[in-house]
Amino acid sequence: MHINSILKFILSAFAVAPVIGQHITTDVYNEGKVDIGGDVAIDPGASWYIYGSSREFFGGNIANSGSFYINLDYTCSALDLAANSNSVIVNSGLIAFRARGSSASYNLNIQRFENSGQIYFITENSPVVIYSIDAPIWKNTKDGSINLYSTKRISQTANLGNIGKAIINDGQICLRNHAWLAIGDVQGEGCIDIGINSVFWYQRGGHQFNSNQTIYLSTKSSTLYVGSKGQDKPYLVAGFGGGNAIALSKMIKSFDYDTTSGILTTVTGSYTMQFNIGMGYDRSQISLVPSRDLGTAIGDSTLYSAITYTGAVPDRSTSTKHCVPCKDSPKFPSRPT
Ligand SMILES: *[C@@H]1O[C@H](CO)[C@@H](O)[C@H](O)[C@H]1NC(C)=O
């Protein structure tokens, strides 16, 4: 590291701990817990790196246009992040939170959430993880990406959005080794990228899912899991094939694929659901299978309630043009020595 930045780091480390509210205009490094009682504003080009804190409570608003890192690098400790229910989090920069210990809780139950930047919630080898960005006003704009990444499949479901309220996603939401349960309207024309060992679970319950929101099964182990009730419009599903699955909570009585419209229709008891998987599928390779093991909370693996396609994803299947490839976790800054 450059000598100036080391000095800057050291000076700021002494100057700001503990703090009430914080306006970050340069690179600031803190080790251990910081009292974040008030509003936090991080300017473009500036960064705040909190290292080795196992508990942080955001008492005020967070407006990040720079970089905000919280990293609990200790493998034995639990990370617990929470926020005041009146808080507003607006991010246009980079937020990266990482836990490597026994458990992690990212529990942001706030008033308003708006992202046009990049957010990473990372856990490495944590068996117990709670993820929640719960806000009645919830928006991920076109350039925004929200990335829930874990190195091991976790059995809890993540909660993005407020139960029964709408979320607007015009950007990108990426899951790796995660299950996200959504209960509410999903608006916008962005993309939900269901990555390795991940599930997007939509519990419709009378809510609406925008038929221009792309649900991208980006790996062989990706699953879209939809609750028992259908919706009027088809779900737009990209990447179906290679053994990934569209699963329902009820046994599927019959299914049909229309080669001219690209619509897969499933019938479960009294509900009919439609999935716009696109063109080019060979009907003989679409099959009904028992639901796979989706983690402890979801699915009954004895029911014939999932559909897979054994062939490769056809070229003319649903386009991923609204999807941006999910990025790997960012590198954390080096600690001053
Ligand atoms: C989806 O996009 C098409 C084409 O842009 C548009 O005509 C239609 O109204 C959109 N549907 C919804 C539900 O927004």
Side-chain angles (χ1 to χ4, degrees):
M1 190 184 288
H2 196 271
I3 188 76
N4 278 345
S5 17
I6 294 173
L7 277 176
K8 215 157 61 173
F9 262 119
I10 292 170
L11 289 174
S12 46
F14 280 112
V16 299
V19 290
I20 304 293
Q22 185 67 274
H23 183 190
I24 307 285
T25 57
T26 177
D27 292 334
V28 177
Y29 174 80
N30 287 105
E31 202 155 318
K33 188 178 182 329
V34 181
D35 286 322
I36 310 173
D39 294 346
V40 172
I42 303 172
D43 285 357
S47 73
W48 192 10
Y49 185 12
I50 300 175
Y51 176 84
S53 173
S54 59
R55 180 180 286 266
E56 288 299 341
F57 182 80
F58 304 135
N61 303 329
I62 295 179
N64 175 45
S65 311
S67 303
F68 186 18
Y69 302 94
I70 295 179
N71 181 17
L72 182 63
D73 226 354
Y74 316 143
T75 51
C76 54
S77 303
L79 176 66
D80 181 6
L81 293 184
N84 189 312
S85 59
N86 293 321
S87 292
V88 171
I89 296 180
V90 177
N91 177 53
S92 58
L94 170 68
I95 291 180
F97 297 154
R98 181 169 71 182
R100 287 181 149 162
S102 53
S103 73
S105 170
Y106 299 104
N107 203 5
L108 306 176
N109 297 324
I110 56 175
Q111 192 53 42
R112 179 158 64 91
F113 169 76
E114 262 176 52
N115 179 51
S116 58
Q118 295 173 18
I119 299 183
Y120 293 84
F121 284 170
I122 305 156
T123 60
E124 296 182 2
N125 302 313
S126 303
V128 181
V129 186
I130 297 167
Y131 277 91
S132 181
I133 309 178
D134 183 326
I137 303 168
W138 198 106
K139 193 169 182 177
N140 186 37
T141 63
K142 198 162 182 302
D143 297 319
S145 82
I146 298 165
N147 307 279
L148 306 188
Y149 289 171
S150 174
T151 52
K152 277 203 285 213
R153 174 71 167 85
I154 54 167
S155 54
Q156 292 82 5
T157 53
N159 169 33
L160 303 180
N162 194 268
I163 290 177
K165 295 262 173 43
I167 69 162
I168 303 169
N169 179 41
D170 284 312
Q172 193 66 25
I173 297 173
C174 296
L175 309 175
R176 290 182 185 171
N177 286 304
H178 267 285
W180 165 28
L181 167 61
I183 308 175
D185 289 359
V186 175
Q187 299 171 359
E189 304 196 352
C191 178
I192 297 165
D193 184 316
I194 309 171
I196 187 162
N197 291 324
S198 294
V199 186
F200 172 56
W201 176 9
Y202 189 56
Q203 193 65 271
R204 189 213 172 212
H207 301 291
Q208 292 298 320
F209 193 94
N210 188 319
S211 56
N212 287 336
Q213 176 81 229
T214 308
I215 302 168
Y216 181 22
L217 300 165
S218 64
T219 73
K220 291 180 175 170
S221 53
S222 310
T223 307
L224 164 63
Y225 181 83
V226 186
S228 57
K229 290 184 185 175
Q231 72 161 21
D232 307 318
K233 297 183 200 117
Y235 294 92
L236 185 60
V237 179
F240 180 57
N244 55 31
I246 295 172
L248 307 182
S249 62
K250 292 263 162 37
M251 197 171 85
I252 297 174
K253 293 228 164 82
S254 65
F255 69 91
D256 188 34
Y257 173 63
D258 183 333
T259 51
T260 52
S261 66
I263 303 278
L264 173 72
T265 302
T266 59
V267 179
T268 59
S270 46
Y271 295 108
T272 298
M273 282 190 246
Q274 294 192 314
F275 302 89
N276 185 357
I277 57 175
M279 309 298 205
Y281 287 92
D282 167 6
R283 209 190 168 294
S284 68
Q285 294 189 67
I286 303 177
S287 53
L288 187 54
V289 295
S291 192
R292 63 179 71 192
D293 181 10
L294 303 174
T296 57
I298 316 174
D300 177 344
S301 57
T302 64
L303 287 179
Y304 275 74
S305 58
I307 292 189
T308 58
Y309 186 69
T310 42
V313 182
D315 291 344
R316 292 187 300 138
S317 60
T318 294
S319 158
T320 54
K321 67 177 182 224
H322 291 293
C323 302
V324 178
C326 298
K327 293 200 197 94
D328 286 343
S329 303
K331 213 170 150 342
F332 281 71
S334 42
R335 296 162 58 203
T337 45

